[in-house]
Amino acid sequence: MYVRLPHLQLLFLFPDTATDSFPGIIGSFKSSLTRMLPFFHPFAGKLTYIPSAARAVIDCSASAISEGITFIEAESDLDIRSIAKYGVEDHDTFVQLLPNVTVPELPTVAFAVQVTRFLSGGVALGIAVHHTVADGKGIWQFIEAWASICRTGSVPSAGFIPVHDRAVIKYSGGDEIAKDFIRKVAPNLPKTAAPHHSLQERMQLTKGTFLVDGATIKSWKKEGIHVSPSTFISISARVLVTVASVRGLTNDNGPFFAGFPVDCRSRLNPPINDSYTGNCIAPCFARMTASEVAGPGGFIRACAALKEAVIKANKEPLVGCEGWIDEALKVPAGRAVRFTGSPGFKFYEADFGWGKPDQFKVATLNRDGDVVLVSGKDEGTVEVSVVLPAQHMDAFAKRFLAPFSRI
């Protein structure tokens, strides 16, 4: 279902890294990738369409990987500290620090890297990876292993053997369901469909990243104590209430949706090992009315709806998967918040040998209502990145972390 989507773009900012050591940094990145990619060979492949089989595959044949991965070295006169901060962000600035892998049709690279040296000091690591290769957990496992090899010079222990064979996920009729997904989401392959949002719409969007500290998370959990929300649910419910509020939906009885993925590895019967790095997630949907979320008591109702969706996924994560695309396509524009990521994704732990990043950014959030959650730099904190129209972002920034009475 990800075949038509653009690459995920991840950005690590290291403002205190000495740029006079840049050649050594480049050498470390390249040598560690050379040693690690045999363990994660799908990342070295190309996303390719096979018309005779009506399937998109990750081609890891000798001809597909013969050119190696895309690795770009760049320089920038930007001030890294001006972008390594929280609040509303400049998407166009981030784009300069990421590899451009946009193509009008398949094949396309599965993974690419750009390392940028800032003339005023500091280094940025930009990564583009196609979601067809791995889900969030798989991408984190890849980065964690890469950072470890780069930092220590040693390959992972014999006990660490990532699994890429998708046959470990067993579901009757899975191949036909996958073909049906492609027909619905990308009917013109090998041409990749343009994003449904226009450039003009994208220009009206802004992205902001907000740090939620442990005390705030604890207070939100206390507010929803009758539901016993997890960290993910309490933060997501707070986002839903704030978004619905700033959109002026307090008296709107139309539908309002929350969508988020759940990791199915431990939920399958039988479960599969965490070493599986491909996609093993199921979409969850929580449906409410807008007024239920934006009005009094909306936070508790949002917590309950999100928790109910998780409980359903825990019981039968793949039941009804043939209808996932149809269900997603039914969600009206402007009536949904789409969550990705997890407070358990510790991207700030990615130490490549010159310290942990000062800032981590997900730069591919480019649709109204996109939200990503990752673990913050400090223990117990969570970073929340939100995409909204410019006219709503200021109000969101003021209300999101404010006491409940001020939402």
Side-chain angles (χ1 to χ4, degrees):
M1 70 173 67
Y2 299 112
V3 68
R4 71 176 177 87
L5 297 180
H7 290 67
L8 294 169
Q9 294 177 312
L10 311 179
L11 182 63
F12 298 83
L13 299 173
F14 303 90
D16 297 320
T17 300
T19 53
D20 57 1
S21 59
F22 191 65
I25 290 172
I26 292 294
S28 295
F29 275 136
K30 288 184 175 180
S31 62
S32 55
L33 273 175
T34 299
R35 301 182 70 183
M36 191 195 66
L37 282 173
F39 292 94
F40 290 87
H41 58 272
F43 285 76
K46 287 184 171 64
L47 176 61
T48 304
Y49 180 62
I50 303 177
S52 60
R55 296 190 66 181
V57 301
I58 303 297
D59 184 0
C60 297
S61 64
S63 60
I65 66 175
S66 61
E67 297 178 359
I69 66 166
T70 300
F71 192 104
I72 301 168
E73 302 174 36
E75 287 188 341
S76 174
D77 58 3
L78 295 170
D79 178 4
I80 189 173
R81 296 191 183 278
S82 69
I83 56 178
K85 61 183 182 180
Y86 296 109
V88 180
E89 300 167 353
D90 182 356
H91 178 78
D92 293 337
T93 297
F94 293 156
V95 169
Q96 301 176 46
L97 308 175
L98 294 157
N100 182 3
V101 290
T102 303
V103 293
E105 63 180 67
L106 301 181
T108 184
V109 298
F111 170 71
V113 177
Q114 178 174 320
V115 184
T116 304
R117 178 175 74 94
F118 292 86
L119 299 180
S120 58
V123 171
L125 169 64
I127 295 171
V129 56
H130 206 280
H131 211 326
T132 53
V133 175
D135 58 18
K137 177 174 280 190
I139 292 170
W140 166 239
Q141 290 175 333
F142 172 86
I143 291 174
E144 185 179 36
W146 181 19
S148 175
I149 295 174
C150 191
R151 183 180 66 253
T152 66
S154 301
V155 298
S157 64
F160 175 79
I161 303 177
V163 176
H164 309 293
D165 185 0
R166 296 181 179 181
V168 299
I169 303 175
K170 302 183 185 301
Y171 191 82
S172 178
D175 286 344
E176 288 305 311
I177 292 173
K179 292 179 181 179
D180 184 56
F181 281 4
I182 287 180
R183 285 192 292 267
K184 289 177 178 177
V185 302
N188 298 318
L189 287 179
K191 295 186 181 298
T192 51
H196 69 277
H197 51 277
S198 68
L199 178 60
Q200 183 178 5
E201 290 172 331
R202 173 65 191 86
M203 295 294 289
Q204 296 173 352
L205 298 176
T206 56
K207 183 166 81 75
T209 297
F210 307 91
L211 180 66
V212 186
D213 61 32
T216 300
I217 295 171
K218 185 177 180 180
S219 71
W220 291 350
K221 288 183 176 181
K222 185 177 180 181
E223 185 73 18
I225 192 168
H226 298 300
V227 183
S228 299
S230 64
T231 295
F232 172 82
I233 288 176
S234 61
I235 293 176
S236 299
R238 178 67 176 204
V239 171
L240 289 171
V241 170
T242 312
V243 170
S245 174
V246 301
R247 286 179 176 172
L249 302 178
T250 304
N251 299 314
D252 189 319
N253 292 321
F256 195 72
F257 296 83
F260 59 94
V262 294
D263 181 2
C264 294
R265 289 168 177 80
S266 63
R267 293 178 166 94
L268 296 177
N269 184 20
I272 63 175
N273 196 285
D274 274 353
S275 60
Y276 176 68
T277 61
N279 282 285
C280 190
I281 54 179
C284 287
F285 298 96
R287 174 174 176 153
M288 300 148 278
T289 64
S291 59
E292 284 179 331
V293 180
F299 177 78
I300 294 176
R301 281 191 288 270
C303 284
L306 291 167
K307 188 169 184 177
E308 182 180 351
V310 172
I311 291 172
K312 181 180 178 181
N314 286 340
K315 293 179 180 178
E316 299 175 323
L318 297 184
V319 169
C321 64
E322 60 276 3
W324 285 351
I325 297 298
D326 294 331
E327 190 171 358
L329 293 176
K330 290 178 183 177
V331 177
R335 290 282 175 172
V337 177
R338 294 166 295 272
F339 295 92
T340 58
S342 165
F345 291 166
K346 300 183 181 297
F347 287 99
Y348 280 98
E349 297 297 313
D351 183 352
F352 290 87
W354 38 89
K356 298 176 182 179
D358 186 71
Q359 283 275 291
F360 167 75
K361 306 286 185 181
V362 178
T364 42
L365 300 177
N366 53 14
R367 297 177 300 174
D368 182 12
D370 278 358
V371 178
V372 66
L373 278 63
V374 298
S375 176
K377 183 164 51 175
D378 298 322
E379 184 69 27
T381 64
V382 176
E383 290 187 4
V384 181
S385 295
V386 183
V387 176
L388 290 171
Q391 68 267 27
H392 293 155
M393 183 58 78
D394 286 345
F396 183 92
K398 292 175 182 177
R399 299 181 191 183
F400 178 54
L401 297 174
F404 273 89
S405 60
R406 290 176 55 192
I407 294 183

